[in-house]
Structures are given as C-alpha cells and as structure tokens.
Amino acid sequence: MRTLIKNQYFILLLIVLTGFFFRFYKLDQYPIQLNHDEVSQIYDLKSIMETGKDIYGNFMPLAFPSTGEYKVGHYIYISTIPYLLLGDREITIRVPAAFFGSLTVLGVFLLIRVLTKNTLLALLSAAVISITPSEIFYSRKSFENVIGSSLDIFGLYFLLTYLKEGAAKKWAYLGIFLLGLAMYIYTSHTMIVPPLLLFLTLIFKEKIIGQKRELLKPALFWLILITPLIILTSLNSDLRFRAQSVFITQDRALGKTIDLVGNKYKAYLDFIPTKLLNQFDPAYLFLNGLDFTSKSSFGMGPLLLWQFPFLIAGFIFLIRKKGLKKAGYLLPGLAFLAMIPSALTFEDFSPHRSVLSFTMLGIISAFGLYWVLQNIFKLKNKLFKNVILGGVFLSLVLNLVYFLRMYTINYPYERSEKMHYPFKEISLYAWSESQNFDAIVFDPQFGDIEPQIGVGTPYYLVHYGQVPPVLFQKQYHKGSKPREMLFDKFSIRQIYWPEDQKLKNTLIIASPWSVPEKDIEDKSKIIKKFFFYNGKLAFYAIKL
Amino acid sequence: MKLSNKILLGVIILLAAVMRLAPLNFPAFTTDETRIAYRAYVLSHAGKDELGRTFPLIFNALEDYQLPLTSYVTAVGVLVSGKNDFGARLPFILIGIGVVFLIYKLGENFLEKKYAYLGALIAALSPGLIFFSRFPNEFIVGTFLILLLVLEILRKHLNKLKIIIIILLMILTSKFLWFTLVPVIAVTLFLNNNLKKREKIKMAAISLIPVLIALLVYFKVPQGIRSLVENNFYFLSDVTVKNSIERMRGEKVLWWPSVFDRALFNKADVLINGLFNWASQLSLSRLFGEFDSRGVFGLLKTGAFAKIVLIPFLSGLYLIVRGGRKDKLIFLYIIFLTFPLVFLYPKEKIELTIAALPFFALISAYGFRLFGTKLARVLIIILILESVLNLFFIKASIKNTNDSRPFFVRQIIKEASEKGPEYNIAFSDDITEDIVPFVQWQTKFNPADAYEQLEFPYRFKQTKISDIKIIGNEDTFYNCAYDKKTFIFASARDLKKIQHDIRVEPAKVYKDLLDREVVYLMPSKICVH
C-alpha cells in the first residue's frame, strides 16, 4: 500500500497512459467509418478553416445547419487545433473527444484526491474510469459531451480545491470558468451545471456562508460568463430549434400517455419521474445501454458487468465510511443530476447525454472496489486471499476482452448501418467513376432491416472527393425532384426507376429499397455492389 | 393495544379496503383470470373443473399447469357471491386487506410500532398490492401465506402444525414458492432468537421435505419436467437465447482468436443476463416509476408504490445500510423471494416481485426515522393525495390495459348470447388471446357442454365449446343458403377473408376502449366451414 502511494505519480502516469491507449489506439479504424455526424463535422471544419463559412455560406455559425439538425458548433471550433496539427484527415475530428476523454482520467484522480484525501482511492477511481466502456466508446467518436464532462470534472476539482483546502481564490475562478465553459459546449451541461452549483452550495454551506462575501465575486463572474449564453440562446432560433427538437415534448410515448390520461399535467407528473428512474435500470446500465447489438441476449452497457457488485459495494461504503460524507453526497448526487438531460429528451434512453452520470457511477464502483480490496487484504489465509484477488482480476480481464470483442467485431457487424457504412466506399467509387459518366444519381435511401435516409450523403461525397469548400458552397443547391440536392455531376435524390432507367450515360447508386433487384431487367448493368459490414447487400451501382 | 392505536389500525385497514374496492369493475380479467373465475364457478357448483375433471389438483392455463389453491379460493368467493366478477374478486380483496394487516404485524416484529403503522399505510396505498388484490391470482395468495409463515416462525414458541399447514398451502399455490420457501424459512429461523440451534435446523429440514415431495410428484406428471423447464427455467428453452449465442459467435474477423468465443457467448453467460433481468425488475423504476410497462399488471406510469415513497425508501435503505447486521436480513427476504427471476431471462415476470413488496414497504416505513414530524406529515399527506389522484385517473389505466384485459369482449359476448337458438354463433380466435373462457364465464353456458376429459392438459386451448364455433386461421366462409344462419363476430383478419370471397359489409362494428375497430358482426347469411 505504501509502495503504491510512494509511487503514486508513476502509477498515475501508467493509468493515464492506459486511458490514452484505449481512446487513441487505432482511432482511425474503430469505429469502422466516420458516421454522418463526424463526416459533416470534418467537412464543416474544413469549410470554416478555408472560408470562415459553413457549407451553406453562414459565417462562423454558432449552430451548424449541417444535415438539418443544427449542431452546436463548439466541437468544430475546438477541432481547429488538431486540424492545424494533423490536417484534413479522418482522425482529426475524433482527436478532441479522445483527448478530453483521456484527460478525464487525470481529472478524476485529482477530483477524488481532493474530495477524499485518499490517494489510493483516487488512483483506483482513475484506473476504473480509464477502462469504463462508456468513457472509451464516447471518447472515440467526435462527441462534444465528453469535452463537457471533462470540463465539469476539472471545474469541480478546482472549486473543491478552493472550498476544501482553502487554496487561493484563483482556483475558484478557474473552477467557475471551466464549469461555465462546459455549459457552452453541450446542452446537457447547460442543464446540469446550475443545479450542480446549487448542490455544491448545499454540501459546503458552512464554508460558503462563512465566506459569502468572498464568494460573491466568483458567483458574479459565473453570471457574467453565462450571460452571453442566455442571450445567444434566446436570440438564436437555430440553437433553440436544436434544443426544442430533442425535448421530451417530442417523445411519442409522452404523447400517448397524455392521450390516455387526458390531462397534460398529470401525464407529465407520471411520465417524467418514471423516465428518470428508467435511466437507472441495471439492465440498461450493465447489459445493453450502449446499443451495440440488435435484439440479442448479448450487448454492452455503459459500465462493465464487472462493476456491478462494486457499484453496490461503493454505495454501501459511501454510506458507512466516516469521513466520506461530502463524497457520499456529491458523487451519487451528480450521478442523479447528470441523468436528468437524458430523461428530458425525446428518446427512451440517451446514453450520449448521460456520460457524466456514467463517470460518477464508475467512480462509485471504484470506491466499492477499494472497500472490497481492503477487506480482501485483511484476510489471513494467504491462499484464500490470492484466490479471491485472482478471481477479481480474471473476471475483469474476461469482461474487458468481452467489451473489446463487442466493440471491434459485434458492434460493426450489428450496427454498421448506423454509421452509414459503406458510404465511404461508395463515395470513393463514385469519384473514381465520375469521369466516365455525365451524371451520377445517388438515392441515399438504405437500410439493413428497414429503410432510412442517409442524411450525410453530400458530406461523404465532398469529403472523400476532396471538393474544396469554396467550390461546394457555390455549387450546392436544391433540385426540382423529390429530396434533390445537386452539385458537380451529382444528384442526390429519390430515384423513380420507371423513369430513371431511361437516363443515358448516368451512374445510378441505389439500394434495393429504392430499386429492387428484380426490377433491373439487364443485370449486367449492375457494375458494382456495396455491402454492409455484415455482408448484406446495401447498394449497387447501375450503369445506364 | 391502546384504543387510539386500534382506531389508527382500523383506519388504515379501512383505507386498504376502499382502495381495493373502488372502482369495483377494475381491472377487467385477462384470459387466464377469466378461466380461473369460470373454473371456480364449475368447481363450486359441480365439483369439477372446466374440462370435467373432479376436484383436480393440477389445472390448465395457456402457458403452464396451474396449481390448485387459487382456483379453490376463487371458488369460495363465487359460491358466496354467485357467477359474477365481484364473486371472483372477493377472496382476493380480503386477502389483499389481510396482507396489509400482516405487514403491520411484521412491522411490529421488525420495527418500532409507529413505523409498523406507516408500513401498513404504505402497503394499503401501494398500487402494486392494490392491483393484485382485485383479480384471481396466485401471487397475492402467496404473499399472504409468506407473511403468515414468517410471523408464525417468529413466534416465541413454534406451532409446528400451523407452520406445516401453511407450507402445504404454499406448495399448492405456486411452483415459484417451492424454490423460495426454504431460504425464506431459513432466514426467519435465524431471526428468531428464542429458538435453539437444533430446533432451527430441525424446522428447516422439515420445511424441505414437502418441497421435495412436491417436486417428485410434479416430475411424475406428464409434461411436468417440460413445464418446469419452459416456465421456471425459461432461459434453457428460449430460442432467442440460442440464436443470440450462435449469431454472436458467427460474427467473426480473421485476427480474433475464436477460442475465446465459447467462453464469452454461452448459456452460463446468459445467466448473468438473468441476474440483471432480476435486478431490473426490482429496480427503482419498477418500484416507483412503472411497475409493468406491458400494461397487464399495473396502473399506467405508476410503480409498485406511490412515487413519493421513493424518498422514505432511500432513507430507509440508508438507515439499514448504516444499521446493525440483523436489519440487513430484510434484504435477504427480497432476494430469496424473487431470485427465480434470474432463470426466467429473457422473460419478464413482474408478478413474482409482489411477494417482496411488503418488505419494501417496511424499508420505506423505516426511512421515516430520518424525518422530523412535520416532514413526515407532509410526505404522508402527499402519499394519500397521490393515491387518491391515481384513483381519479383510473380510466387511463383501464385504457392502457385494453389489449391484455379486453373490456370490449363483454359487450360482444352479451349480444351473442342474446341471439336465439335458431342461429349458430362464431367468434374469430384472434379477437383476444382466448375467447373461450370469456364466453363460458359471461354467458349462461352449461359447463357439461365443454367437458373434454383430459387428464393433464398442458398448454391446452379449447377451440370448440358446445355449438359455438371458434374460427381459426384455416377456416373458410360461404353464403349460408339453406344452412343454419350464423352470426359471425369476426376480427379484422376474418373480415378481410370474408370480403375477399363475398361482397358483404359488417352489420355492426365494435370498438375497443381506444376507439379502434376490433370486431365486426357479419350478417347472418355468412356461414363458416
């Protein structure tokens, strides 16, 4: 134990490096392809870097219209740094999330150390977070919530450094600044941070009441910091549109409940708390919350199965252990608060909005692990002790192997369609053939089990075609046919085969949903087939 | 007991009774519940079950065999009140009220008296316990017997005869109780400080004997083992589990050493899923959010307890975790009473958690220790208001159970029974899960007309009763011409089939509570082969 504490910084370095490894190793290969969000972000980033405008010609927008959902743009602006360093590469857009996700490991160590004054507990917490599936999964795609969570954790650390250790006021300002910044990054944090600050005030009320004059300035600083956010949100309809379009009022199940109950307020009273409690369903947290597989007994939760007993032990430890009162309030409290955004959106579960909650639950499980290990080390029978320790370690390894298999093999097999696979291959092929045709018509309706529209299609084509944004901004325009968008030789639209089959010198790219194979009389016209990762037919290229 | 205490308990019991009686017609019965009600009628009037077997010990249900106690208990109610829903509900309403009283008694054993009252109050207003006190089911009976057993074992001097009778009754109630019985008895014996170790071991051993006998007898029943595998160890027979294992193993890449796959994807791993299936059904979301999302066994968006009870429950958990070793044994009851859920993966069987609800109620009551009088009063007032409010909005839950508890069937059957003997009657078999029990229960049907004399009918569904035709997927339709006229109550499936061959419009359309067209009465000129 002493050796561990003595070498704490070396061990911390190893843990942080482990975190970096799981987040950066083969980052360009897993996930297997840029999804439509990522590809739109990388191209918008390129567009901003080269022209200062997005693809629609908006100058430095706060919300990018992108594929129609008005993405908050901070991730794109943060990505300018890796863009400058790495250039226009697929990995560029994934680097910020992976970097902040790795940094979270360090943040957790610092936070838990300042909160508990227990270095070992802090090391274990960081170690557990470095291997927690949700942390790894969301850090490996360009996902802004990961940055928000990281900022929250560092913000909390600096605030607690001030509150618990009586450090200089600058730490309080720094903490407030980071928490304020997190509110800009992602809407979930806009919702979480104010109640979190209120909650912190309650936990540290003696300290805060004692220093209320001193704390008035940081509080004012926070208000000043978030004032632009309030103004921007109220003035910018695009930002509001994004929030409104995912708000719980869009939830079909809520609509059904209102219909059944016949009273909106009673329906809200019943529905919202139920949805919030659903987010803590153990099956969701440990078995299938990451939605890796479709209708299977096997899946992956945001937390490892291995963490389940330790999570329970962690709660017990927090309740029973003297000296952990503040951690006992803060960690479960934050786990609860950080689930609220997921409960207030239109989907049954939004794990991507609950990342901070999973981090807190992961930390609590590390507390449980610490307690269990403490008890194991107290055992006098050496053999028994080693057997139990071996069991704990072996089950962890097995669970990690399971996660890695799920993530690298089963997830692509089952969900490649979600990542718009094989749009990259199609785009590269289309450009390679573009010289041979007068026009290329691409119907982005596709799907493994049911049809959907590949909204990121133009982004895939321009990104992999290396089309300069300034050119694309000029060329990209609406066409007259259903869902038609045009640029260069490309027409992205719905295909009406009885008519379209009469086209000449045209390359048609369509899925069997748009053009059933039986309707193609001359099969030799199918010059290329594209498959989902699981080998099922996704698209074919038809030469006319 | 002081008079004021008696009054307080009386008020809680009265409240429990009101909550279990109002409204009287809710919920409508499912197919299986209707079958039990009808069976109870036949048992109480002819001494036979619906298939004509004299006082049998194993009955028939859609998915499994059914043990006898629930049916015989229902028979008592029907004997007293006649062939009506209230008669079938009555014994369970009384048992449900009894459960509240027993929770109070148990609370006296585990907690201080005032928390025992609170436990009883929480149980009296528990939507989960209320729901299960309104229709024929084994789960509330099992809960009652478990509480009775625990109280009996906690006595200073064991009344072995009484205990054995309770155990035998439990064995005749539900197969799931066979598995939970012994551990529950063991925990309770451990809690009883008045007994010597030897006496405890002896009692535990005695409790094991009837369970073993029951299992042995059950194995002798044709399809007995199949019944256990398919209904109590569902994960062994479920096709989706098998397919999932094969699918996951089949998803391969070259670099992955497939030697790991047997360890990662197998039925033992599925048992881990079973653990979460279990934990999920005991989660806060089920207890305080929505007890049964399928809308069969609970109110719409309402948990096993009122939502406000979450606060004292969490406090109770906190206190118990901080408290002494014996307090924590209460968790063992919850675990032992519900662990069969592990083996039911991927199936949900939320009904099995009913027996654990009294213990959750006691934990919640204990949580009030953390609160001052004012806060406790506020919580109690909110609890009562929430329960009353739910009662006002019961219509939403009636609509929500529309598919599993088909209210609309009543009207169809009533109209069918009013048609004269000069007509044949036919029902599509997909109007509801199984229309036969509804016809038998809701008409003046002569039980002898449907006797089948099957000894051990497993997963048996009747398709012909008397001269009523149940139309299956394979049946066809024609113009009756000189054949006896028939009134067909057709589902959308059969309407489509009829209209495919014959140009005819329905004479009447019936809608369900969600205002959807569900049944079409065809003109009597259409007959069915």
Side-chain angles (χ1 to χ4, degrees):
Chain A
M1 210 76 91
R2 272 187 209 148
T3 329
L4 280 176
I5 294 169
K6 215 173 160 186
N7 297 314
Q8 55 174 291
Y9 292 110
F10 176 68
I11 293 165
L12 177 64
L13 182 69
L14 284 183
I15 292 169
V16 172
L17 285 178
T18 308
F20 267 90
F21 174 78
F22 277 118
R23 284 148 186 83
F24 276 94
Y25 181 67
K26 293 196 174 179
L27 186 60
D28 55 337
Q29 290 177 35
Y30 298 104
I32 49 166
Q33 185 198 273
L34 291 186
N35 66 27
H36 72 282
D37 281 329
E38 291 172 317
V39 82
S40 66
Q41 283 168 323
I42 184 77
Y43 195 75
D44 275 329
L45 169 63
K46 186 178 173 179
S47 185
I48 289 287
M49 292 299 281
E50 290 183 10
T51 69
K53 293 174 187 170
D54 73 349
I55 61 161
Y56 300 101
N58 303 308
F59 180 72
M60 301 282 249
L62 281 173
F64 284 71
S66 183
T67 51
E69 75 273 47
Y70 288 90
K71 289 188 187 82
V72 180
H74 310 301
Y75 190 92
I76 292 170
Y77 294 116
I78 290 169
S79 304
T80 51
I81 299 164
Y83 189 89
L84 289 170
L85 294 171
L86 301 168
D88 178 20
R89 297 165 60 187
E90 286 178 341
I91 199 173
T92 303
I93 204 66
R94 287 180 177 167
V95 162
F99 177 74
F100 278 92
S102 309
L103 222 54
T104 298
V105 176
L106 175 68
V108 165
F109 169 80
L110 295 170
L111 175 66
I112 300 305
R113 195 175 62 168
V114 76
L115 189 64
T116 63
K117 306 259 183 272
N118 185 329
T119 305
L120 205 59
L121 202 49
L123 283 172
L124 266 182
S125 302
V128 167
I129 294 306
S130 74
I131 56 166
T132 297
S134 58
E135 306 284 339
I136 298 170
F137 178 67
Y138 288 112
S139 298
R140 292 182 69 99
K141 44 201 228 170
S142 63
F143 194 54
E144 54 266 58
N145 198 1
V146 175
I147 303 178
S149 292
S150 192
L151 292 175
D152 280 342
I153 285 166
F154 278 100
L156 265 176
Y157 161 67
F158 289 121
L159 261 185
L160 291 183
T161 305
Y162 169 74
L163 285 170
K164 283 202 81 177
E165 301 193 333
K169 217 158 59 174
K170 63 180 178 191
W171 300 114
Y173 280 106
L174 186 55
I176 289 283
F177 173 73
L178 292 177
L179 287 170
L181 203 59
M183 291 176 71
Y184 282 85
I185 296 290
Y186 196 63
T187 319
S188 296
H189 301 278
T190 321
M191 290 168 75
I192 295 166
V193 171
L196 169 63
L197 288 174
L198 200 70
F199 190 49
L200 268 183
T201 313
L202 280 174
I203 296 174
F204 292 94
K205 58 177 183 281
E206 293 93 1
K207 175 99 181 174
I208 286 169
I209 290 168
Q211 297 179 339
K212 55 187 172 206
R213 280 197 176 170
E214 200 181 325
L215 283 167
L216 206 63
K217 278 185 188 170
L220 270 173
F221 173 63
W222 181 69
L223 277 177
I224 292 166
L225 201 66
I226 63 163
T227 304
L229 180 68
I230 297 167
I231 294 169
L232 285 170
T233 312
S234 47
L235 293 181
N236 190 318
S237 57
D238 295 347
L239 281 175
R240 279 204 314 278
F241 170 78
R242 171 71 180 158
Q244 283 162 359
S245 63
V246 298
F247 196 54
I248 193 168
T249 45
Q250 306 298 319
D251 190 329
R252 275 193 206 171
L254 174 64
K256 192 186 160 199
T257 308
I258 293 172
D259 284 348
L260 287 171
V261 175
N263 181 304
K264 203 162 76 176
Y265 302 104
K266 171 77 166 94
Y268 284 154
L269 269 177
D270 287 342
F271 190 85
I272 296 172
T274 301
K275 196 167 173 183
L276 180 58
L277 291 176
N278 284 347
Q279 311 300 314
F280 294 96
D281 185 335
Y284 164 70
L285 290 176
F286 296 93
L287 278 188
N288 50 33
L290 291 183
D291 199 27
F292 275 13
T293 54
S294 160
K295 289 178 187 164
S296 170
S297 298
F298 299 92
M300 198 65 229
L303 304 172
L304 293 169
L305 291 169
W306 177 81
Q307 287 172 269
F308 180 62
F310 299 120
L311 183 66
I312 293 171
F315 277 112
I316 296 172
F317 183 61
L318 280 171
I319 290 172
R320 291 176 67 96
K321 180 78 180 168
K322 282 175 191 159
L324 285 182
K325 203 174 167 189
K326 293 208 172 2
Y329 287 132
L330 184 65
L331 300 175
L334 194 48
F336 177 79
L337 272 180
M339 275 299 189
I340 292 175
S342 173
L344 288 181
T345 46
F346 70 113
E347 294 156 310
D348 289 344
F349 296 99
S350 307
H352 53 287
R353 294 191 175 89
S354 318
V355 174
L356 186 62
S357 183
F358 302 143
T359 310
M360 293 303 123
L361 294 173
I363 293 173
I364 296 169
S365 75
F367 278 50
L369 177 64
Y370 172 81
W371 187 41
V372 170
L373 287 177
Q374 254 189 349
N375 286 309
I376 294 174
F377 281 115
K378 276 182 200 160
L379 291 173
K380 282 180 183 145
N381 186 327
K382 219 172 176 183
L383 178 71
F384 190 48
K385 193 199 296 187
N386 289 338
V387 166
I388 297 181
L389 277 175
V392 170
F393 182 71
L394 198 71
S395 54
L396 169 65
V397 171
L398 204 65
N399 207 170
L400 271 178
V401 170
Y402 175 80
F403 164 61
L404 292 176
R405 191 200 200 278
M406 274 278 156
Y407 181 63
T408 56
I409 301 171
N410 302 92
Y411 174 54
Y413 257 94
E414 303 260 328
R415 295 288 188 223
S416 69
E417 168 195 10
K418 264 189 154 183
M419 299 170 223
H420 279 45
Y421 191 90
F423 275 59
K424 176 182 172 181
E425 186 192 349
I426 294 171
S427 302
L428 292 170
Y429 177 78
W431 281 107
S432 72
E433 290 288 326
S434 65
Q435 299 305 315
N436 305 327
F437 294 94
D438 294 338
I440 299 172
V441 181
F442 189 167
D443 185 344
Q445 180 175 238
F446 78 117
D448 187 354
I449 295 159
E450 56 181 9
Q452 54 167 313
I453 303 297
V455 287
T457 308
Y459 279 108
Y460 281 103
L461 287 169
V462 287
H463 176 70
Y464 291 107
Q466 297 287 323
V467 179
V470 68
L471 193 68
F472 185 58
Q473 284 167 17
K474 277 181 200 157
Q475 289 181 345
Y476 194 48
H477 66 281
K478 256 189 174 175
S480 55
K481 294 187 172 160
R483 320 190 231 107
E484 188 172 37
M485 295 304 287
L486 297 153
F487 73 93
D488 201 311
K489 286 181 179 177
F490 290 91
S491 164
I492 302 159
R493 65 168 167 87
Q494 184 182 331
I495 285 173
Y496 181 58
W497 187 240
E499 283 297 319
D500 287 323
Q501 64 181 321
K502 294 170 194 158
L503 292 171
K504 299 285 177 216
N505 204 28
T506 301
L507 181 69
I508 298 269
I509 297 169
S511 72
W513 295 102
S514 305
V515 183
E517 203 166 348
K518 65 177 173 51
D519 292 354
I520 306 168
E521 283 170 20
D522 182 359
K523 300 281 189 284
S524 67
K525 285 183 176 175
I526 301 175
I527 53 171
K528 171 100 176 149
K529 285 185 176 178
F530 305 93
F531 300 92
F532 290 114
Y533 195 82
N534 59 15
K536 288 188 190 166
L537 180 64
F539 284 96
Y540 22 63
I542 308 162
K543 182 183 175 180
L544 295 177
Chain B
M1 202 182 200
K2 279 191 213 167
L3 184 64
S4 59
N5 288 352
K6 276 186 185 167
I7 292 172
L8 183 58
L9 184 62
V11 169
I12 292 171
I13 297 291
L14 191 69
L15 196 61
V18 170
M19 295 303 287
R20 280 150 183 78
L21 282 163
L24 254 181
N25 60 348
F26 176 77
F29 292 162
T30 62
T31 298
D32 269 339
E33 290 153 17
T34 310
R35 184 180 291 105
I36 296 174
Y38 173 67
R39 177 187 300 146
Y41 165 72
V42 190
L43 280 171
S44 60
H45 287 78
K48 292 172 184 288
D49 76 343
E50 74 276 20
L51 300 176
R53 300 171 307 160
T54 309
F55 290 121
L57 281 178
I58 284 190
F59 294 109
N60 154 53
L62 275 182
E63 291 194 343
D64 194 6
Y65 288 129
Q66 226 164 39
L67 296 186
L69 192 66
T70 309
S71 297
Y72 287 106
V73 166
T74 317
V76 177
V78 175
L79 193 66
V80 172
S81 183
K83 194 185 179 187
N84 54 60
D85 282 6
F86 180 71
R89 293 182 204 270
L90 183 63
F92 300 91
I93 293 171
L94 295 173
I95 288 170
I97 297 167
V99 165
V100 174
F101 178 72
L102 293 181
I103 289 173
Y104 163 76
K105 296 298 284 176
L106 199 64
E108 274 189 331
N109 271 279
F110 280 107
L111 318 166
E112 293 162 46
K113 204 156 197 156
K114 58 180 171 183
Y115 302 117
Y117 289 118
L118 278 168
L121 178 69
I122 290 167
L125 298 174
S126 150
L129 287 170
I130 293 170
F131 199 91
F132 277 78
S133 305
R134 288 168 170 272
F135 59 87
N137 69 90
E138 63 196 51
F139 305 100
I140 198 74
V141 179
T143 307
F144 180 83
L145 290 171
I146 286 162
L147 294 175
L148 209 58
L149 180 74
V150 170
L151 283 167
E152 214 41 65
I153 297 176
L154 284 175
R155 279 180 196 276
K156 214 169 184 179
H157 301 289
L158 295 186
N159 183 336
K160 289 194 184 89
L161 181 66
K162 239 180 176 178
I163 291 172
I164 287 169
I165 290 173
I166 297 170
I167 291 173
L168 287 175
L169 288 175
M170 287 171 84
I171 283 172
L172 294 173
T173 303
S174 163
K175 264 187 290 154
F176 289 104
L177 289 176
W178 301 356
F179 303 102
T180 59
L181 195 74
V182 179
V184 165
I185 290 173
V187 178
T188 317
L189 285 167
F190 180 77
L191 272 171
N192 191 336
N193 293 328
N194 301 309
L195 299 177
K196 286 177 187 157
K197 201 175 170 185
R198 218 172 131 189
E199 208 176 350
K200 287 180 182 180
I201 294 170
K202 204 168 133 191
M203 197 60 232
I206 290 174
S207 70
L208 196 61
I209 295 167
V211 174
L212 289 175
I213 294 172
L215 269 170
L216 284 174
V217 171
Y218 203 73
F219 285 151
K220 293 274 176 197
V221 171
Q223 313 290 345
I225 295 174
R226 185 180 158 200
S227 146
L228 273 170
V229 171
E230 287 180 354
N231 299 288
N232 298 78
F233 297 91
Y234 188 70
F235 80 103
L236 290 173
S237 61
D238 183 54
V239 183
T240 57
V241 168
K242 206 177 149 215
N243 290 345
S244 296
I245 294 171
E246 281 169 13
R247 201 172 86 213
M248 292 297 113
R249 285 182 187 173
E251 293 173 352
K252 284 179 180 169
V253 287
L254 282 175
W255 56 267
W256 180 262
S258 57
V259 66
F260 287 127
D261 290 352
R262 287 202 167 271
L264 294 179
F265 307 114
N266 58 52
K267 282 200 177 170
D269 293 339
V270 173
L271 265 188
I272 297 174
N273 291 12
L275 272 172
F276 287 95
N277 186 39
W278 176 30
S280 186
Q281 290 176 69
L282 289 174
S283 65
L284 294 180
S285 134
R286 300 308 182 97
L287 292 174
F288 307 100
E290 187 165 35
F291 186 59
D292 183 10
S293 54
R294 299 164 302 167
V296 184
F297 291 119
L299 303 183
L300 176 70
K301 299 288 168 207
T302 306
F305 296 101
K307 288 188 170 51
I308 192 70
V309 179
L310 175 65
I311 297 170
F313 176 72
L314 292 177
S315 311
L317 278 182
Y318 173 81
L319 288 171
I320 288 175
V321 168
R322 282 186 75 95
R325 217 170 174 189
K326 280 218 160 170
D327 289 345
K328 292 184 190 73
L329 287 178
I330 205 161
F331 293 129
L332 281 185
Y333 280 109
I334 294 169
I335 291 170
F336 288 146
L337 285 169
T338 53
F339 80 90
L341 283 166
V342 173
F343 308 104
L344 294 182
Y345 178 83
K347 213 182 204 179
E348 269 195 14
K349 202 159 175 81
I350 197 73
E351 308 90 287
L352 282 190
T353 62
I354 284 292
L357 296 189
F359 298 93
F360 283 113
L362 289 180
I363 293 172
S364 309
Y366 193 50
F368 275 87
R369 261 184 68 180
L370 264 189
F371 310 135
T373 318
K374 272 186 191 167
L375 180 58
R377 278 182 190 160
V378 170
L379 288 174
I380 292 169
I381 290 169
I382 297 175
L383 167 64
I384 294 170
L385 285 177
E386 191 184 331
S387 307
V388 172
L389 196 65
N390 283 339
L391 214 58
F392 275 115
F393 285 94
I394 200 85
K395 215 172 168 190
S397 298
I398 298 175
K399 282 188 200 168
N400 192 42
T401 55
N402 176 67
D403 292 331
S404 55
R405 301 178 173 278
F407 219 81
F408 63 88
V409 167
R410 193 173 289 268
Q411 189 198 349
I412 296 159
I413 291 173
K414 184 172 173 270
E415 290 190 18
S417 65
E418 283 165 1
K419 308 287 178 198
E422 64 273 27
Y423 296 103
N424 282 331
I425 300 292
F427 294 100
S428 294
D429 69 351
D430 60 339
I431 288 176
T432 182
E433 203 179 9
D434 183 5
I435 189 100
V436 173
F438 290 104
V439 175
Q440 292 171 323
W441 176 239
Q442 284 160 14
T443 62
K444 288 173 183 162
F445 184 80
N446 178 12
D449 288 348
Y451 288 164
E452 303 246 359
Q453 293 302 340
L454 293 164
E455 207 180 347
F456 292 107
Y458 179 68
R459 293 194 163 188
F460 177 71
K461 190 172 172 179
Q462 284 183 293
T463 51
K464 190 175 186 314
I465 46 167
S466 179
D467 52 357
I468 296 171
K469 166 80 178 163
I470 307 297
I471 307 165
N473 199 22
E474 69 288 350
D475 288 316
T476 53
F477 304 91
Y478 64 100
N479 260 314
C480 297
Y482 300 107
D483 288 346
K484 191 176 174 183
K485 303 277 185 201
T486 304
F487 277 109
I488 296 174
F489 291 84
S491 64
R493 177 198 72 192
D494 289 331
L495 175 71
K496 202 174 162 191
K497 269 169 81 176
I498 294 167
Q499 288 183 330
H500 184 263
D501 299 331
I502 307 161
R503 283 188 72 164
V504 65
E505 287 301 317
K508 191 172 178 182
V509 177
Y510 299 88
K511 291 184 174 180
D512 65 9
L513 294 171
L514 301 176
D515 214 28
R516 298 178 305 197
E517 291 183 1
V518 276
V519 176
Y520 306 87
L521 172 62
M522 303 311 294
S524 58
K525 62 179 182 180
I526 312 290
C527 282
V528 56
H529 277 297

